[in-house]
Amino acid sequence: MSDFAIFMDWAEFAVRWLHVITAIAWIGSSFYFIALDLGLRKDVPLPPGASGEQWQVHGGGFYHIQKYMVAPDQMPDDLIWFKWESYSTWLSGFALLALVYYLGADLYLVDPNVLDIPVWQAVAISVASLGLGWLIYDAICKSRFGDDNTRLMVGLYVILVAMAWGYTQVFSGRAALLHLGAFTATIMTANVFAVIMPNQRIVVADLIAGRVPDAKYGKIAKQRSTHNNYLTLPVVFLMLSNHYPLAFASEMNWLIASLVFLMGVTIRHWFNTHHARKGNPHWTWAATAILFVVIMWLSSAPMFQPDTEEAALPRGAERFAAAAGFDEVTDIVMGRCAMCHAAEPGWDGIHYAPKGVHLETGGQIALQARKIYLQAGVTHAMPPANVSFIEPAERAKIVAWYRAATAG
């Protein structure tokens, strides 16, 4: 079982690495084609059927790119479809969600001080929210309400704000912001899988058959692509937020997340306008800076700090609290780690517990058993540079305690 903890940590690392790689590929290709599409020149001689062109230089070579709104005279056999970047990003992201938040639900997903529910219910709510979110979003886009793009964007923002608040009423602060990112990313990938790609296949099939494609398919795909464009940066922020307690541990975390979506709009608006050669709306940077300052201010709101003295021992921590050596490990952790990992850290320059991890009570130490084992037992990652001078014998006691709790 002790080896299993190491295996799981490496599994999370591997899947996280894959997720970052695929996300870079998806976001990179998406932003590239948006910039390309907006920057196409239409005031130059073009071949029949072409609607714009652009010359680019990269990697020592020159590229001459032409866009056809309908199609060239002959459909190429080696037409490249950009889809697997999106699918791979979502699949690897969901795998990471399962590894960290479903298998580690007692630690990261369920917070009894927010809503005390069984793990299976929390996981069911998580999965259902992702699926239902897409269905509701898709239905709204296809309704008459979705005919007006501005009205639709405002309506979708209201839904995202509602989901931000709703997640914070069910999950831990860390899980709430992560799930809001997963909720949004699911919509984005489903847009590619269920709308953009099928519509492109219809258009290609019509062209091959010699039929004139219905313009509505391109219009619908463009609408969903625009949504993805403005949602990308907020999703990246929300995925990174689980590493920063100032974002997820504040009582204003749902409002912080809501403002992040507005920053995504202001940032992308500048780039989209710039690439379209319609000017440089520098007011968007001022607006973004103001929003970020407001977020920083909101993060100073009181952190979630339940009465740990009266709180029951968290689920999943009982076996670690009952294992041989727990009392000794508790003394070691409180003496070597609690000066930083506290509601009010005593170490100069540290104002909040790193990663939001508190190690001031036996219950908190038992709940963080796996992290303590990996970072202060198996490795010497904690304390950083061994600033509290934890002894090798103390690390050995941490290892022995964890393995005793997980044996059999």
Side-chain angles (χ1 to χ4, degrees), residues 47-66:
S51 63
E53 72 169 20
Q54 191 176 99
W55 280 89
Q56 299 183 357
V57 59
H58 180 74
F62 293 85
Y63 299 80
H64 185 202
I65 302 167
Q66 296 176 333

Side-chain angles (χ1 to χ4, degrees), residues 76-161:
D77 295 328
D78 56 347
L79 184 64
I80 297 174
W81 299 74
F82 288 85
K83 55 183 179 179
W84 285 110
E85 297 90 342
S86 173
Y87 303 163
S88 300
T89 300
W90 188 90
L91 290 170
S92 59
F94 187 79
L96 190 59
L97 178 68
L99 281 173
V100 176
Y101 289 91
Y102 295 170
L103 296 182
D106 286 330
L107 182 58
Y108 299 123
L109 185 61
V110 178
D111 184 347
N113 299 287
V114 176
L115 185 64
D116 192 3
I117 56 176
V119 167
W120 72 267
Q121 288 186 11
V123 173
I125 292 172
S126 169
V127 174
S129 68
L130 301 183
L132 290 175
W134 155 252
L135 293 175
I136 293 171
Y137 160 83
D138 187 53
I140 293 174
C141 288
K142 293 177 178 177
S143 68
R144 290 186 177 180
F145 186 86
D147 291 341
D148 185 315
N149 286 325
T150 301
R151 179 177 62 192
L152 177 60
M153 290 286 278
V154 172
L156 294 177
Y157 177 69
V158 171
I159 292 175
L160 290 171
V161 173

Side-chain angles (χ1 to χ4, degrees), residues 41-312:
R41 296 195 59 180
K42 305 178 185 296
D43 57 346
V44 295
L46 297 169
S51 63
E53 72 169 20
Q54 191 176 99
W55 280 89
Q56 299 183 357
V57 59
H58 180 74
F62 293 85
Y63 299 80
H64 185 202
I65 302 167
Q66 296 176 333
K67 178 180 179 179
Y68 291 80
M69 288 301 295
V70 181
D73 294 336
Q74 183 175 358
M75 185 64 66
D77 295 328
D78 56 347
L79 184 64
I80 297 174
W81 299 74
F82 288 85
K83 55 183 179 179
W84 285 110
E85 297 90 342
S86 173
Y87 303 163
S88 300
T89 300
W90 188 90
L91 290 170
S92 59
F94 187 79
L96 190 59
L97 178 68
L99 281 173
V100 176
Y101 289 91
Y102 295 170
L103 296 182
D106 286 330
L107 182 58
Y108 299 123
L109 185 61
V110 178
D111 184 347
N113 299 287
V114 176
L115 185 64
D116 192 3
I117 56 176
V119 167
W120 72 267
Q121 288 186 11
V123 173
I125 292 172
S126 169
V127 174
S129 68
L130 301 183
L132 290 175
W134 155 252
L135 293 175
I136 293 171
Y137 160 83
D138 187 53
I140 293 174
C141 288
K142 293 177 178 177
S143 68
R144 290 186 177 180
F145 186 86
D147 291 341
D148 185 315
N149 286 325
T150 301
R151 179 177 62 192
L152 177 60
M153 290 286 278
V154 172
L156 294 177
Y157 177 69
V158 171
I159 292 175
L160 290 171
V161 173
M163 288 303 301
W165 179 85
Y167 276 134
T168 61
Q169 306 307 301
V170 179
F171 301 136
S172 68
R174 169 175 168 162
L177 265 62
L178 191 284
H179 272 76
L180 183 62
F183 175 89
T184 309
T186 298
I187 288 175
M188 293 171 63
T189 295
N191 274 339
V192 176
F193 178 77
V195 178
I196 296 174
M197 291 305 301
N199 283 12
Q200 288 181 343
R201 291 191 185 97
I202 292 173
V203 171
V204 169
D206 283 342
L207 292 172
I208 293 175
R211 298 186 296 267
V212 178
D214 192 326
K216 72 176 183 180
Y217 296 112
K219 179 181 178 181
I220 294 170
K222 181 67 174 179
Q223 181 189 65
R224 303 300 181 96
S225 180
T226 300
H227 293 171
N228 285 5
N229 178 20
Y230 285 105
L231 291 174
T232 299
L233 295 182
V235 168
V236 173
F237 181 100
L238 293 169
M239 294 308 179
L240 292 174
S241 70
N242 67 97
H243 298 287
Y244 296 91
L246 283 173
F248 70 75
S250 168
E251 292 182 356
M252 293 292 134
N253 50 11
W254 68 272
L255 189 53
I256 288 173
S258 301
L259 295 179
V260 167
F261 283 101
L262 296 181
M263 286 201 300
V265 171
T266 55
I267 294 172
R268 288 309 302 164
H269 179 70
W270 187 91
F271 280 101
N272 291 342
T273 304
H274 174 74
H275 290 145
R277 302 187 183 90
K278 295 182 179 180
N280 298 302
H282 294 299
W283 65 265
T284 58
W285 293 108
T288 303
I290 291 171
L291 287 169
F292 196 75
V293 169
V294 173
I295 286 174
M296 293 171 61
W297 175 72
L298 289 171
S299 74
S300 66
M303 297 289 180
F304 286 117
Q305 297 174 4
D307 187 350
T308 54
E309 293 299 325
E310 297 182 3

Side-chain angles (χ1 to χ4, degrees), residues 1-2 319 402-408:
M1 286 298 294
S2 59
R319 61 173 173 163
Y402 185 88
R403 290 179 177 176
T406 56

Side-chain angles (χ1 to χ4, degrees), residues 329 332 336 376-377 388-399:
V329 169
I332 293 169
R336 305 296 191 181
S388 61
F389 303 105
I390 186 169
E391 300 289 342
E394 292 174 321
R395 295 188 190 276
K397 289 179 179 180
I398 291 173
V399 171

